[in-house]
Amino acid sequence: MSRGLPSPSIPFAVHGAVDEIELRSLGLSADDVTDFSASVNPFGPSPSVHEALRNVTLNRYPDRHCEALTRKVAEQHGVAIENVLVGNGASELLWLAALTILRPGDRALVLGPTYGEYVRACRIAEAEPVELRASESDRFRPDLASVAEDRASAVFLCNPNNPTGRLIPRDALADISSQRPDQTWIVDEAYQDYLASESSMICLEAPNILVVRSLTKAHALAALRVGYAIGPSGLIGAMREHQPPWSVNSMAQAAAVAALSDTAHLRATVDRLRREGGRMSDTLATGGWPILATDTPYFLVRVGDATGFRRELLGKGILVRDATSFGLPSWIRISPRRPKENDRFLAAMDDLR
Ligand SMILES: Cc1ncc(COP(=O)(O)O)c(C=O)c1O
């Protein structure tokens, strides 16, 4: 790459999940807290993942082409292998997308409030990210009509969205994105597997849509770092050229093939999680907490001062996502866990009412 190091420095995006350094400063360790802040399937990966990991040869380089996994993804989504790129989590693929699609100075729309890495990826590519922010009074529904009218060359969208859990129906997206074939849409479907039924842009095979998926979340492979992108073969090929060699290790590749093959485990655990999410949000709503209706198991709760509230819950060994970094300083995001853990959370919320 000819750009050199970006200047001035680009702030890190804020993320959920346990931060060991923060916990240590509070005299806590990861084992002392129950993490409701990261939307990783608490029921864990398919049992076949553990078997696959046992068969990995550690003193051999990973397959650079991720052939078996690429074939598995292509087969599952009914696309050609040229349309698939496997990466080190959705995160790597989002960065590769930005570096491949955007030129310095390009305008890129980010449909907010949303995941912080899109803005960061745009800045790394020296493009100009512009947030098109949906309002709470509109229940965070993005104004798609103004996207089509914008001169931006790229659009970043999370569907269903993080942190709101709201889904934009596929047909609405298909309609708008087809009006502007010159605009590339980067559709982050990291949480699609959590929906009651898929509403993916993959099957459209549109020439200006790149879909990014993660195996971190519903497939519960957070520690291994693996995801994939599906899009037009030219764009996928260009992203592949920017990718560091061996960025997806052998354990991640083997585990991902096993996880994707076990659709029964995925469906059963996601169904349980959706039920738990529904039970938790209903209980909280009955207790008087304002909840944002969601299409995912995770949901937002309005608590007043989210930062202070998170700190208080952390003192009780409960970690939630303070949504301040999304520009939502009075909301926390809750990702359901196993039933008993959720009961503990609900009891803590009752105490804080
Ligand atoms: C919307 C969204 N996309 C992508 C990611 C990153 O996924 P991965 O772990 O596959 O890099 C996250 C992680 O929180 C996310 O919330």
Side-chain angles (χ1 to χ4, degrees), residues 40 45 57 148 154 199 204 271 278 308 315 318 351:
V40 176
T57 306
S199 183
L204 290 173
D271 286 352
I318 287 172
D351 288 348

Side-chain angles (χ1 to χ4, degrees), residues 2-304:
S2 59
R3 292 191 174 98
L5 283 176
S7 174
S9 69
I10 297 166
F12 287 112
V14 177
H15 292 289
V18 166
D19 178 340
E20 303 275 354
I21 294 175
E22 180 194 22
L23 290 185
R24 214 176 309 132
S25 75
L26 297 170
L28 297 167
S29 80
D31 291 339
D32 299 325
V33 298
T34 310
D35 183 9
F36 294 85
S37 75
S39 303
V40 176
N41 189 340
F43 300 110
S46 159
S48 63
V49 162
H50 300 287
E51 184 58 33
L53 290 178
R54 273 194 287 278
N55 294 327
V56 171
T57 306
L58 290 183
N59 64 353
R60 190 184 295 155
Y61 266 89
D63 170 11
R64 267 183 296 140
H65 309 290
C66 301
E67 199 189 350
L69 178 53
T70 304
R71 283 191 191 288
K72 183 82 217 165
V73 170
E75 172 201 308
Q76 209 152 71
H77 291 288
V79 298
I81 55 171
E82 291 73 28
N83 298 112
V84 178
L85 180 63
V86 172
N88 189 281
S91 308
E92 183 191 33
L93 295 158
L94 290 165
W95 280 37
L96 286 175
L99 287 168
T100 306
I101 294 163
L102 299 170
R103 302 272 69 86
D106 275 0
R107 177 179 167 94
L109 289 182
V110 174
L111 303 196
T114 195
Y115 185 52
E117 285 298 332
Y118 312 135
V119 164
R120 188 167 153 77
C122 291
R123 294 209 171 114
I124 297 274
E126 295 180 43
E128 183 204 344
V130 177
E131 187 186 30
L132 192 68
R133 198 175 169 82
S135 68
E136 189 180 331
S137 58
D138 237 356
R139 303 194 71 70
F140 299 112
R141 220 188 325 262
D143 174 10
L144 291 178
S146 47
V147 178
E149 287 159 16
D150 200 283
R151 64 178 171 82
S153 55
V155 181
F156 284 81
L157 160 77
C158 184
N159 205 34
N161 193 24
N162 171 14
T164 60
R166 309 281 300 204
L167 176 79
I168 306 171
R170 192 184 54 171
D171 292 349
L173 284 184
D175 181 35
I176 294 292
S177 56
S178 67
Q179 290 174 30
R180 285 289 304 276
D182 59 311
Q183 237 173 18
T184 306
W185 284 59
I186 298 102
V187 184
D188 180 351
E189 295 189 352
Y191 297 102
Q192 272 279 325
D193 292 312
Y194 280 141
L195 295 173
S197 56
E198 277 215 12
S199 183
S200 176
M201 297 293 278
I202 291 173
C203 31
L204 290 173
E205 292 173 29
N208 59 334
I209 292 177
L210 179 79
V211 173
V212 175
R213 299 286 281 254
S214 171
L215 278 99
T216 294
K217 314 293 180 187
H219 286 286
L221 299 181
L224 292 175
R225 317 295 309 125
V226 59
Y228 55 89
I230 296 186
S233 57
L235 174 54
I236 289 289
M239 285 169 63
R240 188 174 282 123
E241 282 171 18
H242 285 84
Q243 189 175 36
W246 307 293
S247 77
V248 186
N249 69 67
S250 307
M251 289 188 290
Q253 292 184 39
V257 171
L260 288 172
S261 304
D262 192 351
T263 47
H265 175 84
L266 179 72
R267 249 4 302 160
T269 55
V270 166
D271 286 352
R272 280 170 78 188
L273 202 58
R274 289 185 61 84
R275 278 200 298 278
E276 279 304 298
R279 177 175 77 90
M280 289 172 84
S281 54
D282 286 352
T283 309
L284 290 171
T286 305
W289 295 99
I291 307 283
L292 185 78
T294 179
D295 295 295
T296 54
Y298 59 84
F299 56 91
L300 287 171
V301 188
R302 195 169 42 221
V303 294

